[in-house]
Amino acid sequence: NMLARSIRSSRLIGKREWQLWLLVLPAVVFFLVFHYAPMYGLVIAFKRYSVSKGIGESPWVGLMYFKRFFNSAQCWELIVNTLILSFYQLLAAFPPPLILAFMLNHTRAKWVKKFVQTITYAPHFISLVVMTGMLTLFGSPSSGIINILIKQLGGQPIYFMAEPEWFRHVFVFSHVWQHTGYQAIIFLAALTAVDVSQYEAATLDGATKLQKIRYIDLPAIIPTLVTVLLLQVGRMLNVDTQKVLLMQSATNLSTSEIIGTYVYKIGLLNGQFSYSTAINLFQTVVNVVILLFVNLVSRKLTDESLW
């Protein structure tokens, strides 16, 4: 009886709110066509794919390409480079948007708040090609402004875009500079839900701004904080391949060659579609496993999770 009532209730809701379902329909169709339908192509990771034979007629090879990747000389170097770059970016890029959101939330001068928001949001809209060009220009050992300052201080010029030990620092902190302001919007939106009376009561009790942040702001945005963190951890192996490729050179390959760039080179440039699909599928499975594990830990420790 309860199941029958639930079905009838769902049908009534569906009929009553058909306009809302109609609005959702384009998004559903988009994901079905461009995200779920192409997943059929993942089967070529288990086949010796031939363009002439097609996916259906290509012979099955099982886990051959996965074994080939794990036995290759590049395997662990690619995984280690990807994890180091991803962890580095997560640790360096996660706190600044949160700190900026707290600062803006407690800034009472509206013109200062708008000015800071504009200055910090603007870099997000710079294209990756332009951003990489700026990094190359500013980091030039002969005419870059950074090296000019280094030489003025008595140091030796550094070729930031070519030396492997500098690649990760340039990649991560250029990301921090470009996206901190935009990512702070999420936390600012969560802070708007905090009741103003809590700040007023804290002010009457003599609380400082740091104490308000600690005892009012931080507990209020923990659900948002956990969600953002989980989503970023779930993309642990999905480093920005396009930016890495634009910054990559023959001299910094020891630290800049990651799974994404390797898949691009062997898949699109060398035409090894089955092999590249197998590596990409492995990358996706690892991301899902990491996300499930961190989601479970978060649910146990903070009672907050994605599901």
Side-chain angles (χ1 to χ4, degrees):
N1 292 333
M2 291 182 62
L3 179 60
R5 284 198 299 269
S6 298
I7 294 174
R8 285 196 299 270
S9 177
S10 299
R11 288 176 178 173
L12 288 174
I13 293 174
K15 291 179 180 179
R16 188 170 60 247
E17 301 178 352
W18 64 269
Q19 298 95 335
L20 297 178
W21 289 109
L22 191 62
L23 290 174
V24 174
L25 183 61
V28 174
V29 172
F30 172 82
F31 277 96
L32 288 176
V33 173
F34 294 103
H35 289 269
Y36 286 94
M39 289 177 66
Y40 169 69
L42 291 176
V43 298
I44 70 174
F46 307 95
K47 290 188 169 190
R48 185 178 286 108
Y49 175 68
S50 171
V51 177
S52 59
K53 295 180 180 179
I55 297 178
E57 298 299 324
S58 297
W60 292 93
V61 293
L63 300 177
M64 184 185 77
Y65 291 111
F66 295 93
K67 294 176 181 177
R68 175 181 168 186
F69 176 62
F70 292 128
N71 293 329
S72 66
Q74 302 96 333
C75 175
W76 296 110
E77 181 182 0
L78 293 172
I79 294 174
V80 169
N81 282 345
T82 304
L83 287 176
I84 291 176
L85 194 60
S86 186
F87 271 114
Y88 189 6
Q89 181 170 291
L90 180 64
L91 293 175
F94 191 75
L98 185 61
I99 296 171
L100 178 62
F102 287 148
M103 293 173 62
L104 292 175
N105 188 55
H106 288 275
T107 300
R108 292 293 168 255
K110 290 185 177 180
W111 71 269
V112 174
K113 187 174 183 179
K114 291 181 179 179
F115 177 76
V116 173
Q117 285 179 314
T118 302
I119 294 299
T120 55
Y121 292 175
H124 174 78
F125 301 99
I126 300 175
S127 71
L128 282 178
V129 176
V130 175
M131 170 61 67
T132 308
M134 292 170 60
L135 294 175
T136 303
L137 183 64
F138 295 156
S140 171
S142 58
S143 59
I145 186 172
I146 298 176
N147 276 304
I148 290 175
L149 292 175
I150 291 175
K151 286 186 283 188
Q152 289 292 330
L153 295 173
Q156 295 296 320
I158 303 170
Y159 199 169
F160 293 99
M161 299 296 286
E163 297 185 11
E165 59 270 20
W166 280 100
F167 171 80
R168 291 172 182 144
H169 304 307
V170 175
F171 180 91
V172 169
F173 286 100
S174 62
H175 173 87
V176 173
W177 173 77
Q178 187 175 13
H179 299 294
T180 291
Y182 189 80
Q183 292 173 349
I185 296 175
I186 300 173
F187 300 119
L188 275 172
L191 289 170
T192 57
V194 179
D195 191 350
V196 179
S197 62
Q198 295 186 41
Y199 295 118
E200 296 172 350
T203 302
L204 292 175
D205 289 338
T208 63
K209 287 187 177 180
L210 287 178
Q211 289 173 326
K212 292 177 184 177
I213 291 173
R214 179 181 177 183
Y215 295 107
I216 299 176
D217 292 346
L218 196 56
I221 66 169
I222 281 181
T224 305
L225 197 66
V226 171
T227 301
V228 172
L229 181 61
L230 287 174
L231 291 175
Q232 292 188 9
V233 169
R235 301 180 68 255
M236 187 61 66
L237 293 183
N238 288 358
V239 183
D240 192 343
T241 303
Q242 184 180 353
K243 184 177 179 181
V244 174
L245 282 171
L246 290 170
M247 293 179 59
Q248 196 174 74
S249 65
T251 56
N252 63 18
L253 282 177
S254 60
T255 55
S256 67
E257 190 75 320
I258 59 173
I259 295 176
T261 58
Y262 186 69
V263 168
Y264 167 76
K265 291 173 183 176
I266 65 170
L268 294 181
L269 299 185
N270 295 339
Q272 302 181 47
F273 302 114
S274 293
Y275 186 36
S276 60
T277 302
I279 300 173
N280 213 10
L281 181 58
F282 158 75
Q283 180 180 358
T284 302
V285 170
V286 172
N287 280 333
V288 172
V289 171
I290 293 175
L291 177 61
L292 292 174
F293 174 75
V294 176
N295 186 72
L296 178 62
V297 172
S298 175
R299 188 166 57 218
K300 295 290 185 182
L301 296 179
T302 66
D303 292 329
E304 298 289 344
S305 61
L306 291 177
W307 60 83

